[in-house]
Amino acid sequence: MLTVVKNIKNQLKVSFLTVKYALIREMINKTTFLTNITFMILNDASFILQWIVLYALKDNVGGYTFNQVLLLWGIAAGTYGFSHFFFESAFNLSDTINNGKLDAFLVQPKNVLISTITMSISASAIGDLAYAYIMLFVFGFTIKNFLLFTLFCFTGSLIIVSIAIILGSLSFWFNKSDVIADTGNSLLTNFATYPDGIFKGITKILFYTILPLGYVAYMPVQILSSFNIKLFILVISITIMFITLAVITFYRGLRRYSSSNLMIART
Amino acid sequence: MRKYLYIFKSEVMTNMQYIFNLLVGFISYFILIFIFLNLWKYIYSDSNELINGYNMNQMIWYVIITEILWMSLGGRKLCRKICEDVRGGNIAYNINKPYSYIGYILSSHLGSVVVKGSIFTILGMLLGLIFLGKFPHLTLFSIIIVLITSLLATIINTLFVIFIGLFSFIIEDANPFWWLYSKVILVFGTLFPIEYFPGIIKTILSYSPIYAVSYGPAKLFVDFSIPNMVNVIIVQIIYLIIIYVLCLLIYRKGVRKLNVNGG
């Protein structure tokens, strides 16, 4: 037991250092770094205009008030921010597998999956995170809301990273599956910013099954608006289920991996 | 002019080899139209109700057209390519060639937009017909005018992206400016017609590039009229001249201070 705890501690330390050095690398050019973050905040904020126009036509869109839509955007931005800041490489997993770049991680004495998905960060994701918390302030800042919001942004990011790993791992079995992975990832981002109430029938069912946006964004908005312990437990359970599925899929696929003898310098 | 036509044709031929990739790109387009179909069905309690002069079908056709124009542009890729050409020094290889860099980039990019745009137009029209059951009122003349104004809109939009990309001569990475430009076009130009915006914003938008690159062709498609057609074409010609001159100025200024470390 003690060894397991020690291993987890070690792995977390290595992952933290990887992210830290990736961030330092991004900060070498300070102007570009700050411009990327600022413009990402402006980029996200531009969509508020869309909702101002729509709410001028109707008080309620898909069962959401204007503030709830802002919260939905906050959670979507936070989810995107956390996932792309900590696990950017999960979204390029197909490329890593197809081009034999996994070799470098297989020989390291650390967890292959975690090392693979934490090898790079996206600096502009910091802008998404900043925007997410601005939206939380607009919705209503309390310590409880802050903790729940942060937790849901993190569970949401773990769900979408898990899906990215599952879709990316298809490359162990099929060629050209990067197209499926890219499409799946963009599907999640596109739908997550619109209230689920505007959709009907099969689309709504998809949100709680193969496109689990219900647990990433919609249920967290419901819980933050009015706390519900059952929904809270459901979100946590679904997150654990997706992580488990992703780990199983990746390691099943890894058995089929064969090196391409790629020689590259990783700096 | 013949050399640019040749570059354009070569790019068309190259892009014809990657039709599958373009079809995959259509999935994102489909998702977006699907979302907007649901959104507008929710907003319009009755499909014949008029909101700011548009009924539900017109609103959805409007988004179908503006998104065809926008998504077939591939502006992010073009902006990134120009930024890399400038930052990496590749642009130096083009300076001593017997063509203008702007002309080369414009004609080669139009080659890829034409292929993508044609496929998106066919599939977009099919999608609209499946979702809505009918086209807005169209005549052969109005279709020809919509095609001409769409082509002009694409040329102007491409020149705007080139202008933003050439900003890399001044700041190292012009990509953030591209994000901002794309969001302005997306929010003000593709999601809603300018009639949806209040007073002063509506007036500003009527004189902005959005009128030329997005609103104009889509408005002519959903609600064609001769005065509108004349307005759109005049605004497009004015913007075409302005943005081309701006591109030339920034390019000439940038090339003068270009420093390339050969190797």
Side-chain angles (χ1 to χ4, degrees):
Chain A
M1 186 67 188
L2 205 66
T3 329
V4 175
V5 174
K6 202 178 161 191
N7 280 344
I8 293 172
K9 209 176 144 191
N10 266 339
Q11 181 62 55
L12 285 175
K13 198 176 164 191
V14 171
S15 299
F16 174 75
L17 285 173
T18 313
V19 172
K20 184 183 160 190
Y21 289 124
L23 182 63
I24 291 170
R25 211 163 44 232
E26 291 285 336
M27 286 170 76
I28 289 172
N29 188 331
K30 279 203 176 64
T31 316
T32 307
F33 178 75
L34 290 174
T35 328
N36 274 335
I37 293 170
T38 315
F39 275 78
M40 186 48 82
I41 296 174
L42 290 172
N43 173 40
D44 291 345
S46 63
F47 284 98
I48 292 178
L49 285 167
Q50 175 193 346
W51 292 104
I52 291 174
V53 172
L54 287 170
Y55 276 92
L57 303 174
K58 228 173 172 137
D59 297 336
N60 175 309
V61 178
Y64 283 56
T65 61
F66 183 65
N67 261 12
Q68 283 177 317
V69 163
L70 294 185
L71 181 65
L72 180 70
W73 264 89
I75 289 179
T79 298
Y80 188 91
F82 271 124
S83 55
H84 283 262
F85 183 73
F86 290 106
F87 311 109
E88 170 75 358
S89 317
F91 300 91
N92 304 318
L93 189 59
S94 288
D95 175 65
T96 310
I97 297 166
N98 286 336
N99 293 319
K101 293 178 193 166
L102 268 184
D103 295 11
F105 303 101
L106 288 171
V107 292
Q108 285 177 7
K110 291 287 167 223
N111 184 286
V112 181
L113 178 58
I114 296 176
S115 306
T116 308
I117 62 175
T118 53
M119 70 174 157
S120 63
I121 66 155
S122 158
S124 58
I126 299 171
D128 287 307
L129 283 172
Y131 179 76
Y133 284 96
I134 293 170
M135 289 299 102
L136 175 67
F137 270 92
V138 176
F139 176 76
F141 182 87
T142 61
I143 296 293
K144 183 185 144 206
N145 279 356
F146 174 77
L147 293 174
L148 281 174
F149 183 83
T150 306
L151 176 74
F152 289 135
C153 288
F154 210 70
T155 53
S157 79
L158 289 175
I159 293 176
I160 65 166
V161 166
S162 299
I163 292 171
I165 293 170
I166 294 168
L167 294 176
S169 297
L170 292 178
S171 291
F172 285 122
W173 287 276
F174 314 106
N175 279 332
K176 289 271 172 198
S177 66
D178 51 331
V179 172
I180 303 169
D182 288 347
T183 309
N185 294 330
S186 77
L187 263 174
L188 289 170
T189 321
N190 280 325
F191 278 115
T193 47
Y194 290 89
D196 54 338
I198 64 168
F199 302 103
K200 289 187 186 111
I202 194 147
T203 319
K204 235 174 172 174
I205 298 170
L206 288 179
F207 290 155
Y208 292 91
T209 49
I210 54 169
L211 268 182
L213 285 171
Y215 314 103
V216 173
Y218 303 137
M219 275 189 189
V221 171
Q222 278 183 50
I223 298 168
L224 274 156
S225 301
S226 155
F227 189 78
N228 180 327
I229 188 73
K230 282 182 189 163
L231 292 184
F232 180 83
I233 294 170
L234 186 61
V235 170
I236 303 293
S237 314
I238 293 287
T239 308
I240 295 168
M241 191 194 88
F242 269 98
I243 295 171
T244 315
L245 256 174
V247 172
I248 293 171
T249 314
F250 179 81
Y251 283 101
R252 277 274 164 89
L254 192 59
R255 289 186 208 155
R256 299 172 55 88
Y257 179 75
S258 55
S259 167
S260 63
N261 294 323
L262 179 73
M263 296 280 282
I264 49 166
R266 293 176 62 232
T267 52
Chain B
M1 196 64 196
R2 272 179 60 195
K3 56 196 169 193
Y4 298 115
L5 204 62
Y6 186 78
I7 295 167
F8 170 79
K9 272 163 67 182
S10 315
E11 198 62 30
V12 169
M13 300 296 280
T14 311
N15 276 277
M16 295 289 273
Q17 308 299 314
Y18 300 103
I19 295 286
F20 177 73
N21 288 7
L22 296 181
L23 291 175
V24 170
F26 186 75
I27 296 171
S28 302
Y29 176 83
F30 172 81
I31 294 163
L32 213 88
I33 298 301
F34 180 73
I35 290 173
F36 273 87
L37 178 81
N38 282 278
L39 187 63
W40 287 115
K41 273 190 172 171
Y42 187 89
I43 300 279
Y44 279 88
S45 40
D46 169 12
S47 60
N48 291 320
E49 179 192 355
L50 284 182
I51 300 179
N52 295 315
Y54 293 82
N55 63 31
M56 192 187 83
N57 277 16
Q58 284 178 313
M59 268 313 300
I60 296 166
W61 276 115
Y62 181 89
V63 179
I64 288 176
I65 299 296
T66 52
E67 286 295 342
I68 289 174
L69 288 171
W70 183 244
M71 292 187 83
S72 55
L73 181 71
R76 187 174 62 173
K77 202 172 152 194
L78 176 64
C79 185
R80 198 177 290 166
K81 183 192 167 357
I82 299 170
C83 287
E84 276 164 17
D85 275 356
V86 174
R87 284 155 65 187
N90 266 346
I91 202 161
Y93 293 109
N94 291 281
I95 291 173
N96 59 357
K97 296 266 167 50
Y99 55 64
S100 122
Y101 178 74
I102 296 168
Y104 166 73
I105 287 283
L106 179 66
S107 48
S108 91
H109 188 69
L110 285 180
S112 89
V113 177
V114 162
V115 177
K116 202 172 175 184
S118 307
I119 290 169
F120 271 47
T121 305
I122 295 166
L123 295 175
M125 294 296 121
L126 277 175
L127 199 64
L129 270 183
I130 293 165
F131 283 151
L132 302 169
K134 61 176 182 184
F135 285 117
H137 177 68
L138 292 167
T139 61
L140 183 63
F141 179 67
S142 68
I143 293 172
I144 293 168
I145 294 299
V146 170
L147 287 174
I148 292 170
T149 50
S150 298
L151 183 65
L152 281 169
T154 304
I155 296 172
I156 298 166
N157 225 343
T158 307
L159 284 168
F160 266 107
V161 181
I162 294 174
F163 178 69
I164 293 167
L166 290 174
F167 248 87
S168 295
F169 278 122
I170 300 163
I171 58 159
E172 197 185 333
D173 185 4
N175 279 309
F177 287 96
W178 156 251
W179 291 348
L180 203 60
Y181 175 75
S182 67
K183 291 304 166 238
V184 169
I185 297 284
L186 197 69
V187 174
F188 290 106
T190 64
L191 305 181
F192 310 102
I194 57 179
E195 289 87 348
Y196 269 72
F197 295 96
I200 183 81
I201 302 178
K202 191 169 136 186
T203 315
I204 294 169
L205 292 176
S206 313
Y207 294 100
S208 73
I210 286 165
Y211 191 93
V213 303
S214 190
Y215 171 83
K219 174 75 179 172
L220 291 175
F221 185 82
V222 298
D223 185 17
F224 184 84
S225 74
I226 297 291
N228 258 343
M229 177 195 84
V230 176
N231 271 347
V232 172
I233 293 177
I234 290 173
V235 171
Q236 287 188 324
I237 291 170
I238 293 171
Y239 266 109
L240 186 63
I241 296 166
I242 292 174
I243 190 62
Y244 184 67
V245 172
L246 284 176
C247 282
L248 278 182
L249 288 176
I250 194 168
Y251 177 74
R252 283 183 189 159
K253 199 174 173 199
V255 163
R256 251 182 261 139
K257 61 178 211 176
L258 183 70
N259 250 317
V260 176
N261 298 313

